[in-house]
């Protein structure tokens, strides 16, 4: 499939995966080695991931440009042909693939994947874009929010939310952040490998890294493949986890000997970090209604020898916490299901799968989970509510509503040395991608009165 008469295997496979995302709402994150064609070599696999994530991330802007250069109704074009044009435009404008290669390969892809007659259309549209790449048309809809949303490839409703809350400049920085290729956080397991040894071996693998400015047991890397190939995750040397998630665990501040309940635990990243912070001493009950994903927590606990520390419970928290004999914990974490609008850089597809009504639906669930979790907190214990969204309705407004219902709780300032830069004046953990350079997250530490 590498002759001049056939399209490259990476583009053909990217087309197949993009169709899955469009038609089946598959996650971009599911485009992994197991989902890809077995015949692909490592370079082609990397290219598939690049095409799929990039085209998904930039699809609104790409469609705006394609509509400008296509003499017809783009939204009536058959899906496969539109996806090929998106791949070609993405290559020309954002990957800077040489014109001949980008045009020729996508023309060949159209011949084979659509029909021979589609080649002329693909050739004409892509060459028109290439000729005007230095003077591309700009959105001018008479609505600043919509213009920004098109140019930075986001839904307009998101931009309408952010513009009044942040400045125009900060909103553009947030949109730009969401379109960058993400870096990855590595949480180092000091029981297996020291930070110094990790850094030394990363240098030997020629993997660029930088230290986290927020957490002393985290590093940042751009490329995971060499680390995966070395088996570091399987050996428990490190875990892939964003610093914002680590900060939520630090806000909970689990101590050796504590009883902790992690109420929305799967797939277990925060649970395992808690166990490490507790030096394997105490009790963690990991609760989640998704039993298949919860098995990942149990498997990882066994790998690390923490099967006696971590107990898993496949259940809906709202039912599990109801009996009078439900466990009483020193610390409870509600890592709540949310709209995820703080993690759009890593979840390229999520922006297109969310709607404003999702936030309304999630608010009810978040309130119910908080009330259920409150029943598990012993007098004097701590409840931490965390999300990976930027939206006030899911964050501080949920905390305020909870405090109105649960008068025996109060907001407590973090006391465990969280960096001042990530704690706001009200004592909430708040990370903004455009300001802190990590995923957006929120956390509130709530203390239950001793007298209850």
């Amino acid at each position: 499939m590498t002759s001049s008469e056939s399209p490259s295997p990476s583009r053909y496979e990217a087309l197949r995966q993009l169709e899955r995302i469009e038609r089946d709402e598959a996650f971009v994150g599911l485009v992994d080695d197991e989902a890809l064609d077995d015949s692909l070599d490592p370079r082609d696999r990397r290219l598939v991931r690049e095409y799929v994530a990039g085209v998904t991330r930039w699809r609104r802007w790409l469609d705006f440009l394609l509509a400008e250069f296509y003499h017809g109704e783009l939204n009536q074009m058959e899906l496969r042909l539109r996806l090929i044009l998106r791949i070609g435009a993405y290559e020309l404008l954002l990957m800077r693939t040489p014109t001949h290669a980008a045009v020729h390969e996508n023309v060949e892809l159209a011949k084979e994947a659509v029909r021979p007659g589609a080649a002329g259309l693909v050739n004409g549209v892509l060459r028109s874009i290439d000729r005007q790449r230095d003077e591309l048309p700009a959105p001018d809809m008479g609505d600043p929010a919509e213009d920004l949303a098109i140019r930075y490839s986001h839904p307009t409703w998101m931009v309408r939310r952010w513009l009044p809350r942040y400045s125009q400049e900060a909103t553009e920085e947030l949109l730009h952040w969401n379109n960058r290729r993400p870096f990855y956080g590595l949480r180092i397991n000091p029981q297996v490998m020291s930070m110094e040894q990790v850094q030394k071996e990363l240098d030997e693998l020629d993997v660029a890294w930088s230290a986290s400015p927020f957490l002393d047991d985290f590093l940042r890397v751009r490329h995971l493949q060499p680390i995966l190939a070395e088996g570091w995750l399987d050996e428990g040397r490190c875990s892939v986890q964003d610093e914002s998630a680590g900060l939520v665990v630090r806000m909970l501040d689990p101590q050796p000997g504590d009883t902790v309940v992690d109420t929305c635990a799967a797939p277990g990243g925060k649970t395992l970090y808690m166990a490490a912070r507790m030096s394997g001493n105490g009790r963690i009950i990991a609760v989640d209604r998704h039993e298949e994903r919860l098995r990942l927590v149990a498997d990882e606990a066994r790998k690390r020898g923490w099967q006696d520390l971590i107990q898993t419970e496949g259940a809906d928290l709202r039912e599990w916490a109801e009996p009078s004999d439900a466990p009483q914990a020193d610390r409870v974490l509600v890592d709540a299901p949310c709209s995820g609008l703080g993690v759009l850089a890593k979840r390229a597809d999520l922006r297109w799968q969310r709607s404003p009504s999702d936030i309304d639906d999630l608010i009810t669930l978040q309130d119910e989970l908080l009330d259920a979790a409150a029943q598990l907190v012993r007098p004097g214990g701590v409840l931490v509510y965390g999300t990976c969204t930027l939206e006030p309705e899911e964050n501080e407004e949920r905390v305020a509503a909870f405090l109105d219902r649960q008068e025996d709780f109060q907001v407590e300032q973090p006391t465990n040395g969280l960096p001042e830069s990530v704690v706001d004046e009200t004592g909430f953990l708040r990370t903004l991608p455009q300001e802190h350079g990590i995923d957006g997250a929120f956390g509130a530490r709530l203390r239950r009165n001793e007298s209850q």
Side-chain angles (χ1 to χ4, degrees):
M1 204 173 183
T2 57
S3 74
S4 61
E5 299 302 319
S6 299
S8 70
S10 58
R11 292 175 180 85
Y12 205 103
E13 180 66 12
L15 175 62
R16 188 173 76 88
Q17 297 295 344
L18 286 165
E19 282 188 296
R20 289 180 62 219
I21 293 166
E22 289 278 340
R23 289 180 172 160
D24 305 330
E25 293 190 347
F27 295 138
V28 169
L30 295 180
V31 181
D32 55 20
D33 284 347
E34 293 182 5
L36 298 181
D37 187 324
D38 291 340
S39 67
L40 294 175
D41 64 29
R43 179 180 178 278
D44 281 329
R45 289 171 181 268
R46 288 193 297 273
L47 281 171
V48 172
R49 285 187 282 267
E50 169 73 21
Y51 293 140
V52 171
V55 168
T56 301
R57 188 176 287 122
W58 284 101
R59 79 178 197 192
R60 188 175 185 188
W61 184 56
L62 295 173
D63 279 358
F64 167 78
L65 294 176
L66 292 171
E68 293 286 316
F69 291 101
Y70 170 60
H71 302 299
E73 294 294 329
L74 186 70
N75 59 6
Q76 294 180 13
M77 182 185 289
E78 58 196 290
L79 175 61
R80 180 167 278 199
L81 183 54
R82 189 162 72 246
L83 290 173
I84 291 170
L85 285 170
R86 285 178 185 171
I87 294 170
Y90 177 72
E91 287 197 78
L92 287 171
L93 300 175
L94 292 152
M95 290 182 70
R96 297 292 176 176
T97 303
T99 300
H100 172 75
V103 174
H104 173 75
E105 290 288 352
N106 285 288
V107 164
E108 294 301 321
L109 182 57
K111 286 180 184 177
E112 182 157 328
V114 183
R115 59 186 170 275
L121 187 151
V122 171
N123 181 72
V125 171
L126 293 183
R127 290 198 178 278
S128 293
I129 290 174
D130 183 62
R131 282 194 295 270
Q132 296 190 43
R133 68 163 69 209
D134 295 327
E135 295 182 355
L136 291 171
D140 186 12
M141 305 296 175
D143 178 347
E146 188 168 11
D147 289 346
L148 274 178
I150 293 171
R151 180 59 188 87
Y152 288 97
S153 196
H154 280 67
T156 302
W157 70 268
M158 290 184 190
V159 180
R160 288 197 203 288
R161 281 179 154 266
W162 295 335
L163 274 173
R165 194 184 319 155
Y166 311 120
S167 67
Q168 167 101 9
E169 181 181 3
T171 299
E172 288 198 52
E173 289 174 357
L174 173 58
L175 298 172
H176 178 67
W177 172 270
N178 289 341
N179 288 330
R180 293 172 58 183
R181 293 181 181 87
F183 66 79
Y184 300 94
L186 284 186
R187 175 172 57 79
I188 308 307
N189 183 355
Q191 294 178 317
V192 177
M193 202 173 187
S194 71
M195 178 64 76
E196 292 74 17
Q197 184 64 25
V198 169
Q199 293 171 351
K200 179 176 181 292
E201 294 200 19
L202 286 175
D203 288 340
E204 290 173 357
L205 291 172
D206 199 26
V207 174
W209 59 269
S210 61
S212 164
F214 304 116
L215 296 166
D216 58 6
D217 48 358
F218 277 69
L219 292 174
R220 299 173 176 182
V221 296
R222 286 285 178 191
H223 303 289
L224 285 176
Q225 291 307 309
I227 295 164
L228 296 173
E230 289 293 312
W232 285 18
L233 270 63
D234 293 335
E235 296 169 6
R237 295 185 179 195
C238 58
S239 300
V240 179
Q241 189 169 45
D242 194 79
E243 292 154 69
S244 61
L247 288 167
V248 171
V249 173
R250 291 291 189 97
M251 179 174 243
L252 184 69
D253 195 24
Q255 297 296 310
D258 278 349
T259 294
V260 180
V261 178
D262 186 356
T263 65
C264 304
K270 293 185 179 70
T271 305
L272 295 170
Y273 192 22
M274 292 176 198
R277 299 294 295 175
M278 295 165 66
S279 301
N281 178 18
R283 182 189 185 199
I284 300 174
I285 306 172
V287 184
D288 201 286
R289 65 187 181 90
H290 299 288
E291 295 198 33
E292 286 295 323
R293 298 179 72 221
L294 197 59
R295 289 196 184 98
L296 299 173
V297 185
D299 290 345
E300 289 300 316
R302 280 192 294 272
K303 282 183 185 178
R304 288 159 174 73
W306 288 335
Q307 61 270 26
D308 294 332
L309 168 68
I310 298 173
Q311 166 191 341
T312 59
E313 293 285 346
D316 187 316
L317 173 69
R318 293 166 291 186
E319 298 172 1
W320 187 78
E322 193 172 350
S324 57
D325 61 349
Q328 294 291 286
D330 302 290
R331 301 170 200 270
V332 176
L333 173 63
V334 179
D335 184 26
C338 67
S339 61
L341 300 195
V343 298
L344 297 182
K346 290 190 173 74
R347 283 291 309 275
D349 51 335
L350 189 61
R351 70 187 73 180
W352 310 122
Q353 296 174 354
R354 287 290 184 233
S355 68
S357 63
D358 291 334
I359 294 176
D360 296 332
D361 295 340
L362 285 162
I363 284 170
T364 300
L365 175 60
Q366 290 157 356
D367 285 345
E368 291 173 354
L369 292 174
L370 266 171
D371 287 341
Q375 300 177 66
L376 305 173
V377 182
R378 67 161 177 80
V382 170
L383 170 63
V384 166
Y385 173 72
T387 73
C388 58
T389 187
L390 309 175
E391 304 315 297
E393 298 97 317
E394 300 180 81
N395 292 339
E396 57 265 37
E397 290 182 22
R398 298 282 48 78
V399 174
F402 172 78
L403 294 175
D404 285 342
R405 297 190 305 272
Q406 306 278 350
E407 295 182 355
D408 54 333
F409 283 84
Q410 57 188 336
V411 175
E412 181 176 77
Q413 288 276 345
T415 57
N416 56 327
L418 283 182
E420 291 183 4
S421 61
V422 300
V423 179
D424 68 17
E425 65 280 358
T426 59
F428 296 143
L429 167 69
R430 195 185 306 274
T431 59
L432 301 174
Q434 72 274 22
E435 183 176 328
H436 299 101
I438 57 178
D439 286 348
F442 172 87
R445 181 181 168 97
L446 307 165
R447 174 77 68 175
R448 189 171 192 176
N449 296 337
E450 287 278 3
S451 59
Q452 297 299 316

